[in-house]
Amino acid sequence: AQSVTQLGSHVSVSEGALVLLRCNYSSSVPPYLFWYVQYPNQGLQLLLKYTTGATLVKGINGFEAEFKKSETSFHLTKPSAHMSDAAEYFCAVSRPGGGSNYKLTFGKGTLLTVNP
Amino acid sequence: EAQVTQNPRYLITVTGKKLTVTCSQNMNHEYMSWYRQDPGLGLRQIYYSMNVEVTDKGDVPEGYKVSRKEKRNFPLILESPSPNQTSLYFCASVKQGSNEQYFGPGTRLTVT
């Protein structure tokens, strides 16, 4: 079984400060990893994903994440927070391959607040 | 435009009154699924379908039914809704080979 743990249900940063959202996963096979963002009253938008290859993944809106197998982590970072980054962020894991492996297992989410 | 659509977007209903939430995708994806989102719990998969007439349970299937008679449509059926099914529901489809999920806009359901 797979699982995802997001450390910190609520993270607050100042505008211009570093954003660090933590995600650890458990998987019996090499995972595919995802970060999604959900703005208030909206659906889910894919920020970035790791499948294979380069472990540092760049996404939209200046976000990036690094897959660290030894630490079973996939933390999300952004060098400088913007007010528009305020949203809820979800880390998710799936298995490689098709069929039932497409299922996403989500973390419980981290609400990011950006203070002026 | 490639998209997943859901209807209705908002629904308030009463306990026991059957309802259906529709989901449609225009990307010819074979795999579709339903998730529910609850505060503090993230998203959990309800049902999924790997192709027409092929459906299977996810992690929280109790109280739900689905059908897949056409490739583009994957309705979620609540035959006797209860208050604990008050939630935000998302339909998703997957681009084969990429594991990339396309999510619908969500349906906010309230059962009183």
Side-chain angles (χ1 to χ4, degrees), chain B residues 4 7-8 13 18 24 26 28 33 35 44-45 47 49 55 62-63 69 73 75 88 96 99 102 104 107:
Chain B
V4 178
N7 283 291
T13 190
K18 181 179 179 180
S24 183
N26 62 359
N28 203 37
S33 64
Y35 293 84
R44 295 173 292 168
Q45 191 183 59
Y47 267 95
S49 169
T55 64
E62 293 78 19
K69 299 188 187 309
N73 296 323
L88 180 58
Q96 278 82 345
N99 282 58
Y102 291 75
T107 295

Side-chain angles (χ1 to χ4, degrees), chain B:
Chain B
E1 179 189 356
Q3 60 182 348
V4 178
T5 57
Q6 295 178 226
N7 283 291
R9 295 289 313 280
Y10 302 90
L11 179 60
I12 301 173
T13 190
V14 297
T15 299
K17 185 177 182 181
K18 181 179 179 180
L19 66 92
T20 299
V21 183
T22 65
C23 172
S24 183
Q25 50 94 5
N26 62 359
M27 295 167 280
N28 203 37
H29 290 168
E30 292 179 349
Y31 182 96
M32 298 182 73
S33 64
W34 278 100
Y35 293 84
R36 61 177 288 175
Q37 181 183 5
D38 300 291
L41 296 178
L43 286 85
R44 295 173 292 168
Q45 191 183 59
I46 304 170
Y47 267 95
Y48 66 94
S49 169
M50 290 194 280
N51 213 327
V52 174
E53 302 292 2
V54 181
T55 64
D56 208 345
K57 297 177 180 179
D59 295 325
V60 287
E62 293 78 19
Y64 304 95
K65 287 177 58 177
V66 292
S67 69
R68 188 88 181 274
K69 299 188 187 309
E70 305 167 283
K71 199 172 188 178
R72 63 184 293 124
N73 296 323
F74 190 44
L76 180 69
I77 303 157
L78 285 72
E79 296 215 324
S80 184
S82 62
N84 64 12
Q85 294 178 297
T86 292
S87 187
L88 180 58
Y89 292 86
F90 288 101
C91 180
S93 68
V94 175
K95 180 179 179 181
Q96 278 82 345
S98 75
N99 282 58
E100 184 170 333
Q101 310 246 347
Y102 291 75
F103 283 88
T107 295
R108 187 168 294 279
L109 172 66
T110 302
V111 183
T112 61

